Structures are given as structure tokens and as C-alpha cells.
Amino acid sequence: MRIETVIAVILGVLVGGTFAYYLTTKTVASGSRESINISTAEAFIGKQKAEAQEGEKNGKFAVTAPADNTLVKAPQAVLQIEAPKASLIVIQTSGEEKIFKNTQSVFTESVKLSAGENVIEVTAYNKELPVGVSSQSLTLYYLP
Amino acid sequence: MKYITFIAFALLTLFTAGSLYAAPKPTATPTVTPTPTKSPDEINKELLREKVATQLARLVQGTQKIFSGTIESKTDKELVVITKEGTLTVRVDENLTKWATVTSTRELKSADFKVGEFVTVDAIELDGVLNGNAVYKDNSYKVGHGNVSSVDADNNTLSVTKAQEQAPTELKLDKAVRVFLYNQKTQVLDKSRLDKVIAGDSVHYVQQKKGAEYVVTKLIVIPQELFISSSF
């Protein structure tokens, strides 16, 4: 093989390879996903904590999670509740009832869900609350 | 000059060959085969498949909305449901909408659903229109609480004054109503009877829709003594 042929082959391979590399990297870059904004989530959690602490001072009662009219993927839901410590808490659903005194002002409690619509009422009895009692209803949906 | 021409030619050839190799490969053209004659069933299935695919592609852009309520009216294409948020109209399709009962996997037909029935609807909201994915027959429950004004065990009724209401509400009790009394000492619910309930007690109740009316099926009683003797 003549020297000119060898040079031509090497040069051709180099140029072709460079172009191939360019094509490959360009495709990958355009398909990359955007990163998640973590600072927004942290700010939201911080705000929730601040609101929870404020609630303790004022004898506040609220069911903070899950949101009303939420579709739940499992046959149970974890309720996040804010209430003055040592309140008598009553959780009533169509399939289950719970009654207890809370030891923490912000706590969670799991409730069983039936298939379909679940109307849940959470009530807290405590003298620190307006008229001594507060309640909140929420509707959760579970579709097996 | 001869050499330069040769090198340029070789470069051009290899550059082209390299680029073609690196470029994404076009998919192979499917071989055209003669299509056999389709039966009406196959044509219908194909049409339905296309309809589902088109609908899916459209609905994937919408937002899911779940709600429950009573059927006010229904046609082949629309279902009007009275919900706690107001009256909602859902677009339905005999083939694309799933019709079933929440407690069963057995599928029903649109004709099995009647006006006045309580349903839970899984829909996709797109451009302000609700498209029904599934309609389920469901049980309707209400929960509430209040202070007992009076108990009529003979007529199975209970009068309860709810918070922020002046006049008591009369609740009809189911014949098989289950009554639980909160035990202050053990802090658990003990099984009890209706005649143990007295005016002034706090009650939490579950009402189930049976026929046209709601009846109390479960009653939790918190004795009034608890509020006198404790910090509640």
C-alpha cells in the first residue's frame, strides 16, 4: 500500500470519528432532564414547622395533611394533626373510630380507608380551644 | 498535484463514510405484505383501539379529578352528578369509561347506573371539560358530632345540637346501630346500648344512606362527666 493511501485513510477516520463524536454528544445534551428545585421544598417545610409552633401557643387545631379531596393509593392514610397537648382526640370514619389523648401538639395518626369515598372527621376537646372543641372534616378517595 | 487530488478524494470518501456510520440509523422499512381481508369485528376493534389511543393522547395533558355525589341525570354521553362542590357534568363513553362498583372488580354497564344512585367518579379535566375515566357505585356516609338533646329509644331517634347551631337536629337511628361508650378509666371504647345515652352527652356518629334517607349506624358517646372532672 502506498504512503498516500495510508495517510488518506488515517485522515478520513479522524475526521469521520470527530463528526460522529459531535453527533453523539449533541443528542445526549438535548435529552437531559432539568434538576428539581430543592430550596422551594425546604422553604415549604420550614413554613409548615413555623405554623405548627405558632399553633401550640394559640391552642390551634388543624388537620394539616393530607389535603381535602385527595386520591390515596393505599387502603390507609396518615393524618397530620395539630392540637394542644393532652386533648381528647376523636377520629371518626365510616369504617373506623379512634379516641385518645395526644402527647405531642403535632402528631400523626394512621386511619384505614374503604374503597371509594372516605369522609373523615377529626375532633379535639380541650379547654385551650375556642368553645372547648374544634373539628375538621376531610374527604379522601381510595380506588383499589 | 496528482497526489493532492488523490488525498482529497480519499478524505472526502472516508469523511462521508464516517458520517454515515455515526449518524442515527434509519429504521428498516417494513416489508409490504398483502393485507388479508378484515372481518367487521377486527375493523371495530381497530377503530376502538385508535379511538382509545387518540383519547389517551389528549387526556394525558389534563388533570385528574375525583369526586362523589348523587346522579341527577344521565344520557349516553353525559352524567350529571350533584356533589358537595355543586353540580358537575361528566362526559362519558360506553366503551372508554369504566363502569363498576368500588368494592368489586366486576365491570358493569352504563345501563346499570340509575338516577339517584351515589357514585364516585374518576375523571380527567381538560379545557374545563370533565372526561369520565371510571364511574363507581359507592356507599354514601356522613360523619358528625354534637350534644345530645334527647333520646327516643322507642322510635329510634336521637336529637343532637351541633356546634354553632341553635336548634337540635333529629337523627334517625338504624335498628342495628352500634353504640360505644368512652371509658374514662381505661380510655377505650366499650360496647354500650342506646338507653345508656343521656341528654348532655357528646356524641360522634356515622350516618349511612339507606334507600332515600340517612340513618345512624354507629355512635360514639363521650359521657358529660368527663368534661366536668377533667381538663377537657
Side-chain angles (χ1 to χ4, degrees), chain B residues 45-57 93-96:
Chain B
K45 276 182 189 171
E46 207 162 276
L47 284 172
L48 182 63
R49 220 173 287 138
E50 278 172 20
K51 202 176 169 185
V52 170
T54 314
Q55 184 78 343
L56 273 175
D93 185 293
E94 180 62 42
N95 296 312
L96 299 179

Side-chain angles (χ1 to χ4, degrees), chain B residues 124-191:
Chain B
I124 300 288
E125 190 170 18
L126 185 66
D127 300 330
V129 178
L130 290 166
N131 298 276
N133 265 346
V135 182
Y136 300 97
K137 286 192 184 197
D138 202 351
N139 291 313
S140 177
Y141 293 97
K142 285 180 183 177
V143 289
H145 73 276
N147 284 321
V148 176
S149 303
S150 65
V151 189
D152 187 345
D154 295 333
N155 291 316
N156 261 12
T157 57
L158 182 74
S159 282
V160 170
T161 306
K162 296 177 188 174
Q164 296 167 344
E165 279 184 18
Q166 299 294 325
T169 305
E170 191 170 271
L171 305 173
K172 190 168 183 185
L173 305 170
D174 191 50
K175 283 178 184 172
V177 63
R178 289 184 294 155
V179 183
F180 299 93
L181 187 72
Y182 179 67
N183 187 322
Q184 197 179 342
K185 287 178 185 170
T186 59
Q187 297 187 1
V188 294
L189 293 170
D190 294 334
K191 278 187 181 176

Side-chain angles (χ1 to χ4, degrees), chain B residues 10-219:
Chain B
L11 264 175
L12 189 66
T13 310
L14 286 167
F15 173 72
T16 312
S19 303
L20 285 173
Y21 178 75
K25 304 278 182 298
T27 49
T29 315
T31 320
V32 180
T33 49
T35 316
T37 317
K38 289 175 182 172
S39 68
D41 259 12
E42 283 175 323
I43 293 168
N44 282 340
K45 276 182 189 171
E46 207 162 276
L47 284 172
L48 182 63
R49 220 173 287 138
E50 278 172 20
K51 202 176 169 185
V52 170
T54 314
Q55 184 78 343
L56 273 175
R58 216 167 59 80
L59 295 181
V60 82
Q61 300 160 9
T63 49
Q64 191 176 23
K65 190 173 171 70
I66 313 279
F67 56 89
S68 293
T70 307
I71 300 175
E72 188 186 49
S73 66
K74 73 182 271 281
T75 64
D76 291 345
K77 294 184 177 177
E78 270 187 2
L79 189 71
V80 180
V81 182
I82 303 169
T83 73
K84 61 182 179 182
E85 293 172 5
T87 304
L88 298 174
T89 303
V90 190
R91 191 186 287 172
V92 291
D93 185 293
E94 180 62 42
N95 296 312
L96 299 179
T97 306
K98 180 184 172 185
W99 303 85
T101 304
V102 278
T103 50
S104 166
T105 51
R106 190 172 67 90
E107 290 208 14
L108 302 172
K109 288 180 180 175
S110 162
D112 297 322
F113 288 70
K114 309 287 179 207
V115 169
E117 278 191 298
F118 189 80
V119 289
T120 291
V121 181
D122 176 4
I124 300 288
E125 190 170 18
L126 185 66
D127 300 330
V129 178
L130 290 166
N131 298 276
N133 265 346
V135 182
Y136 300 97
K137 286 192 184 197
D138 202 351
N139 291 313
S140 177
Y141 293 97
K142 285 180 183 177
V143 289
H145 73 276
N147 284 321
V148 176
S149 303
S150 65
V151 189
D152 187 345
D154 295 333
N155 291 316
N156 261 12
T157 57
L158 182 74
S159 282
V160 170
T161 306
K162 296 177 188 174
Q164 296 167 344
E165 279 184 18
Q166 299 294 325
T169 305
E170 191 170 271
L171 305 173
K172 190 168 183 185
L173 305 170
D174 191 50
K175 283 178 184 172
V177 63
R178 289 184 294 155
V179 183
F180 299 93
L181 187 72
Y182 179 67
N183 187 322
Q184 197 179 342
K185 287 178 185 170
T186 59
Q187 297 187 1
V188 294
L189 293 170
D190 294 334
K191 278 187 181 176
S192 188
R193 296 193 315 267
L194 197 60
D195 57 10
K196 298 282 181 188
V197 184
I198 53 170
D201 287 344
S202 290
V203 286
H204 293 255
Y205 54 86
V206 175
Q207 289 174 291
Q208 186 180 354
K209 194 178 183 185
K210 288 191 174 178
E213 60 182 2
Y214 282 90
V215 290
V216 176
T217 54
K218 205 186 295 177
L219 199 63

Side-chain angles (χ1 to χ4, degrees), chain B residues 220-231:
Chain B
I220 293 176
V221 184
I222 301 171
Q224 53 198 295
E225 300 86 68
L226 179 76
F227 300 102
I228 300 162
S229 61
S230 71
S231 60

